[in-house]
Amino acid sequence: QVVPGLLEVLAVDLPESVVTLSKDDLSGLGSLAELLERGRANLRALVAGDVSLGAVADGRGPFTAVTDRSFFTASLALVLSEAVERISGERDHGRGILVAVPDRHQLLYRVIDAPSATSALRDMFGAARRAFYEASGPLSPNVYWVRNRRWSQVTSLDGGRPRVWLRGEFAGAIKCSA
């Protein structure tokens, strides 16, 4: 479990489908830690390849949207720092990264680096919700804050109404970017 509602699973991309592996399928192939590291190595290879991306600047706060036909595009969030640096040349300078994985073909992110990060959070949340409900392979409508490889959910839908949680260390990180 990466965060409640988001799981890291091992899957194999076959010519006609993607298969999620069970514990029985994995037995004899190595330890779970070794297999997860092999999976992350495959994600790093995906990062090194050609992925489509674009800065979404039509809202108040720009963020990066990575899209690809690969079923594993959203999984790039598992190697987030490396993906962000390779894809957009940005680095997390200690305040963390906002990230959303609305469906299996998309990764949305924004390094918390400027006052517009607060607006980007709201715009990303809207984009994540739309993609989650419209795209195939929905994962999560929420935005997460990733800092020091620790994930925290910072948005939710309460009774169908969008809510952003600006509290604790996250509120401090966002305010410092202002």
Side-chain angles (χ1 to χ4, degrees):
Q1 182 169 303
V2 178
V3 291
L6 280 180
L7 303 175
E8 179 177 11
V9 297
L10 291 167
V12 177
D13 189 4
L14 302 171
E16 299 296 320
S17 63
V18 174
V19 177
T20 302
L21 303 173
S22 69
K23 285 184 180 182
D24 290 339
D25 295 330
L26 299 174
S27 67
L29 298 176
S31 72
L32 183 58
E34 291 168 336
L35 295 171
L36 288 171
E37 185 47 44
R38 273 197 249 164
R40 288 189 194 104
N42 290 339
L43 291 173
R44 289 182 192 98
L46 183 60
V47 168
D50 291 327
V51 292
S52 303
L53 68 113
V56 178
D58 58 346
R60 297 175 307 268
F63 58 90
T64 301
V66 180
T67 59
D68 195 86
R69 289 187 351 227
S70 169
F71 287 96
F72 304 111
T73 304
S75 297
L76 294 175
L78 296 170
V79 291
L80 186 62
S81 293
E82 295 157 278
V84 168
E85 188 170 349
R86 164 64 177 84
I87 293 167
S88 60
E90 298 173 279
R91 285 191 165 172
D92 174 9
H93 296 286
R95 293 188 194 111
I97 302 171
L98 299 171
V99 63
V101 287
D103 65 82
R104 62 187 176 209
H105 300 286
Q106 289 190 72
L107 168 68
L108 311 176
Y109 67 83
R110 165 65 189 257
V111 173
I112 299 176
D113 62 350
S116 58
T118 302
S119 295
L121 168 60
R122 288 182 181 91
D123 292 345
M124 281 177 62
F125 188 25
R129 289 192 325 269
R130 283 188 300 278
F132 175 79
Y133 291 111
E134 295 171 3
S136 64
L139 297 176
S140 173
N142 291 306
V143 177
Y144 301 87
W145 175 48
V146 180
R147 184 176 181 199
N148 299 326
R149 299 182 192 263
R150 196 179 94 224
W151 286 60
S152 302
Q153 183 177 333
V154 296
T155 65
S156 69
L157 293 173
D158 290 334
R161 297 183 60 181
R163 181 173 172 214
V164 175
W165 304 339
L166 292 175
R167 62 181 184 223
E169 288 181 40
F170 177 62
I174 285 285
K175 286 179 186 174
C176 285
S177 69

PDB file of all heavy atoms in Angstrom, residues 91-96 112 145 147-148 173:
ATOM      1  N   ARG A  91      13.865  19.418  -9.921  1.00  0.00           N
ATOM      2  CA  ARG A  91      14.266  18.670  -8.725  1.00  0.00           C
ATOM      3  C   ARG A  91      13.466  19.146  -7.530  1.00  0.00           C
ATOM      4  O   ARG A  91      13.135  20.313  -7.427  1.00  0.00           O
ATOM      5  CB  ARG A  91      15.742  18.896  -8.431  1.00  0.00           C
ATOM      6  CG  ARG A  91      16.638  18.161  -9.358  1.00  0.00           C
ATOM      7  CD  ARG A  91      18.031  18.217  -8.855  1.00  0.00           C
ATOM      8  NE  ARG A  91      18.802  17.216  -9.556  1.00  0.00           N
ATOM      9  CZ  ARG A  91      20.086  17.094  -9.459  1.00  0.00           C
ATOM     10  NH1 ARG A  91      20.767  17.928  -8.697  1.00  0.00           N
ATOM     11  NH2 ARG A  91      20.718  16.161 -10.123  1.00  0.00           N
ATOM     12  N   ASP A  92      13.203  18.220  -6.640  1.00  0.00           N
ATOM     13  CA  ASP A  92      12.556  18.545  -5.377  1.00  0.00           C
ATOM     14  C   ASP A  92      13.618  19.158  -4.468  1.00  0.00           C
ATOM     15  O   ASP A  92      14.626  18.533  -4.185  1.00  0.00           O
ATOM     16  CB  ASP A  92      11.988  17.271  -4.760  1.00  0.00           C
ATOM     17  CG  ASP A  92      11.413  17.481  -3.366  1.00  0.00           C
ATOM     18  OD1 ASP A  92      11.285  18.633  -2.926  1.00  0.00           O
ATOM     19  OD2 ASP A  92      11.101  16.463  -2.727  1.00  0.00           O
ATOM     20  N   HIS A  93      13.393  20.385  -4.055  1.00  0.00           N
ATOM     21  CA  HIS A  93      14.357  21.065  -3.194  1.00  0.00           C
ATOM     22  C   HIS A  93      13.917  21.075  -1.733  1.00  0.00           C
ATOM     23  O   HIS A  93      14.253  21.990  -0.987  1.00  0.00           O
ATOM     24  CB  HIS A  93      14.596  22.489  -3.699  1.00  0.00           C
ATOM     25  CG  HIS A  93      15.227  22.512  -5.053  1.00  0.00           C
ATOM     26  ND1 HIS A  93      16.553  22.205  -5.272  1.00  0.00           N
ATOM     27  CD2 HIS A  93      14.705  22.731  -6.276  1.00  0.00           C
ATOM     28  CE1 HIS A  93      16.827  22.273  -6.557  1.00  0.00           C
ATOM     29  NE2 HIS A  93      15.713  22.585  -7.199  1.00  0.00           N
ATOM     30  N   GLY A  94      13.179  20.068  -1.343  1.00  0.00           N
ATOM     31  CA  GLY A  94      12.848  19.893   0.055  1.00  0.00           C
ATOM     32  C   GLY A  94      11.406  20.138   0.447  1.00  0.00           C
ATOM     33  O   GLY A  94      10.987  19.733   1.517  1.00  0.00           O
ATOM     34  N   ARG A  95      10.642  20.812  -0.389  1.00  0.00           N
ATOM     35  CA  ARG A  95       9.238  21.069  -0.043  1.00  0.00           C
ATOM     36  C   ARG A  95       8.311  19.963  -0.544  1.00  0.00           C
ATOM     37  O   ARG A  95       7.162  19.912  -0.175  1.00  0.00           O
ATOM     38  CB  ARG A  95       8.787  22.412  -0.603  1.00  0.00           C
ATOM     39  CG  ARG A  95       9.480  23.572   0.070  1.00  0.00           C
ATOM     40  CD  ARG A  95       8.871  24.886  -0.370  1.00  0.00           C
ATOM     41  NE  ARG A  95       9.747  25.965   0.017  1.00  0.00           N
ATOM     42  CZ  ARG A  95      10.444  26.714  -0.830  1.00  0.00           C
ATOM     43  NH1 ARG A  95      10.334  26.515  -2.120  1.00  0.00           N
ATOM     44  NH2 ARG A  95      11.209  27.673  -0.392  1.00  0.00           N
ATOM     45  N   GLY A  96       8.815  19.131  -1.432  1.00  0.00           N
ATOM     46  CA  GLY A  96       8.030  18.006  -1.920  1.00  0.00           C
ATOM     47  C   GLY A  96       7.451  18.231  -3.296  1.00  0.00           C
ATOM     48  O   GLY A  96       7.680  19.253  -3.947  1.00  0.00           O
ATOM     49  N   ILE A 112       6.807  21.638  -5.598  1.00  0.00           N
ATOM     50  CA  ILE A 112       6.413  22.804  -4.794  1.00  0.00           C
ATOM     51  C   ILE A 112       7.608  23.742  -4.758  1.00  0.00           C
ATOM     52  O   ILE A 112       8.562  23.529  -4.013  1.00  0.00           O
ATOM     53  CB  ILE A 112       5.973  22.387  -3.377  1.00  0.00           C
ATOM     54  CG1 ILE A 112       4.764  21.451  -3.468  1.00  0.00           C
ATOM     55  CG2 ILE A 112       5.647  23.611  -2.532  1.00  0.00           C
ATOM     56  CD1 ILE A 112       4.302  20.901  -2.130  1.00  0.00           C
ATOM     57  N   TRP A 145       0.869  14.516  -1.684  1.00  0.00           N
ATOM     58  CA  TRP A 145       2.103  15.255  -1.447  1.00  0.00           C
ATOM     59  C   TRP A 145       3.163  14.214  -1.149  1.00  0.00           C
ATOM     60  O   TRP A 145       3.003  13.391  -0.241  1.00  0.00           O
ATOM     61  CB  TRP A 145       1.922  16.208  -0.281  1.00  0.00           C
ATOM     62  CG  TRP A 145       3.137  16.954   0.152  1.00  0.00           C
ATOM     63  CD1 TRP A 145       4.020  17.627  -0.632  1.00  0.00           C
ATOM     64  CD2 TRP A 145       3.582  17.138   1.493  1.00  0.00           C
ATOM     65  NE1 TRP A 145       4.985  18.226   0.133  1.00  0.00           N
ATOM     66  CE2 TRP A 145       4.739  17.939   1.448  1.00  0.00           C
ATOM     67  CE3 TRP A 145       3.114  16.714   2.735  1.00  0.00           C
ATOM     68  CZ2 TRP A 145       5.435  18.318   2.591  1.00  0.00           C
ATOM     69  CZ3 TRP A 145       3.800  17.098   3.872  1.00  0.00           C
ATOM     70  CH2 TRP A 145       4.954  17.890   3.787  1.00  0.00           C
ATOM     71  N   ARG A 147       7.026  13.712  -0.131  1.00  0.00           N
ATOM     72  CA  ARG A 147       8.213  14.361   0.419  1.00  0.00           C
ATOM     73  C   ARG A 147       9.027  13.295   1.139  1.00  0.00           C
ATOM     74  O   ARG A 147       8.488  12.545   1.956  1.00  0.00           O
ATOM     75  CB  ARG A 147       7.800  15.458   1.394  1.00  0.00           C
ATOM     76  CG  ARG A 147       8.957  16.234   1.943  1.00  0.00           C
ATOM     77  CD  ARG A 147       8.436  17.352   2.810  1.00  0.00           C
ATOM     78  NE  ARG A 147       9.509  18.137   3.350  1.00  0.00           N
ATOM     79  CZ  ARG A 147       9.387  18.928   4.396  1.00  0.00           C
ATOM     80  NH1 ARG A 147       8.212  19.037   4.999  1.00  0.00           N
ATOM     81  NH2 ARG A 147      10.402  19.600   4.836  1.00  0.00           N
ATOM     82  N   ASN A 148      10.308  13.231   0.802  1.00  0.00           N
ATOM     83  CA  ASN A 148      11.194  12.213   1.387  1.00  0.00           C
ATOM     84  C   ASN A 148      10.623  10.807   1.195  1.00  0.00           C
ATOM     85  O   ASN A 148      10.630   9.993   2.108  1.00  0.00           O
ATOM     86  CB  ASN A 148      11.437  12.491   2.876  1.00  0.00           C
ATOM     87  CG  ASN A 148      12.099  13.819   3.103  1.00  0.00           C
ATOM     88  OD1 ASN A 148      12.918  14.266   2.309  1.00  0.00           O
ATOM     89  ND2 ASN A 148      11.718  14.489   4.174  1.00  0.00           N
ATOM     90  N   ALA A 173       4.847  23.686   3.925  1.00  0.00           N
ATOM     91  CA  ALA A 173       5.575  23.575   2.654  1.00  0.00           C
ATOM     92  C   ALA A 173       4.933  24.454   1.592  1.00  0.00           C
ATOM     93  O   ALA A 173       5.633  25.149   0.849  1.00  0.00           O
ATOM     94  CB  ALA A 173       5.600  22.115   2.188  1.00  0.00           C
TER      95      ALA A 173
END
